[in-house]
């Protein structure tokens, strides 16, 4: 019986910690004001370029990589810096690729007027591209017809 209460207590503490950390994250948003660097490579830290050509995708439905720095970008529940260039109202004027129509479909398949909540935080899937060496060696090769 003692183990049951211990497990239940740990579960509630873990749930509370997760809830509080999520609330703190949502309130503060994601702040990318620090200089973006990739560390842990064989050559040391690698700075991401401000603008570069888009890298080829490696497999079907791969989220495109970001060909520019996201230094200073704010993405939180109130604002999304990415949409200022890639949103449907702005992409023509900025010349940026338009956000995919799939980003307007909610988890139940309903088409929304705005970006679906599960697609709003762009940097969950899209990451800045860099030519940094892999931190961990791997044998990945792109799908046929993709990559290089």
């Amino acid at each position: 019986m003692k183990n049951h209460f211990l497990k239940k207590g740990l579960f509630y503490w873990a749930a509370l910690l997760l809830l509080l950390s999520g609330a703190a994250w949502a309130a503060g948003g994601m702040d990318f004001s620090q200089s973006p660097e990739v560390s842990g490579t064989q050559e040391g830290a690698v700075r991401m370029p401000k603008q570069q050509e888009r890298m080829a995708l490696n497999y079907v439905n791969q989220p495109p990589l970001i060909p520019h720095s996201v230094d200073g970008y704010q993405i939180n529940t109130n604002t999304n810096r990415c949409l200022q260039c890639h949103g449907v109202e702005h992409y023509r004027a900025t010349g940026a690729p338009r956000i995919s129509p799939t980003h307007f479909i909610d988890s139940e398949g309903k088409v929304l007027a705005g970006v679906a909540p599960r697609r709003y935080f762009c940097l969950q899937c899209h990451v800045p591209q860099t030519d940094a060496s892999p931190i961990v060696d791997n044998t990945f090769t792109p799908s046929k017809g993709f990559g290089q």
Side-chain angles (χ1 to χ4, degrees):
M1 196 67 161
K2 186 177 179 182
N3 277 344
H4 172 73
F5 289 115
L6 180 62
K7 286 180 184 177
K8 193 173 182 180
L10 287 174
F11 171 77
Y12 286 122
W13 278 110
L16 179 63
L17 181 62
L18 184 63
L19 179 68
L20 291 175
S21 63
W25 176 79
M30 299 167 73
D31 182 7
F32 299 97
S33 59
Q34 299 301 314
S35 185
E37 290 185 353
V38 177
S39 60
T41 63
Q42 288 90 14
E43 293 83 33
V46 176
R47 297 215 22 100
M48 288 184 235
K50 289 198 182 279
Q51 189 72 29
Q52 58 184 328
E53 293 298 315
R54 287 193 228 165
M55 290 179 154
L57 301 181
N58 292 308
Y59 54 89
V60 176
N61 294 327
Q62 174 187 346
L65 299 171
I66 302 169
H68 57 80
S69 173
V70 293
D71 188 24
Y73 278 35
Q74 287 277 320
I75 301 175
N76 59 42
T77 55
N78 298 320
T79 187
N80 181 328
R81 173 63 179 88
C82 301
L83 296 177
Q84 291 177 8
C85 293
H86 297 278
V88 293
E89 307 86 17
H90 308 288
Y91 79 96
R92 285 188 182 104
T94 63
R98 179 183 51 83
I99 187 172
S100 169
T102 61
H103 289 53
F104 295 88
I105 301 171
D106 70 8
S107 58
E108 296 165 2
K110 189 169 94 177
V111 178
L112 306 174
V115 177
R118 67 183 183 151
R119 300 289 190 116
Y120 183 79
F121 293 95
C122 308
L123 298 173
Q124 291 180 130
C125 299
H126 301 278
V127 295
Q129 63 191 27
T130 182
D131 59 359
S133 299
I135 295 171
V136 177
D137 289 333
N138 69 71
T139 58
F140 175 82
T141 56
S143 297
K144 238 179 203 190
F146 286 87
Q148 315 293 319

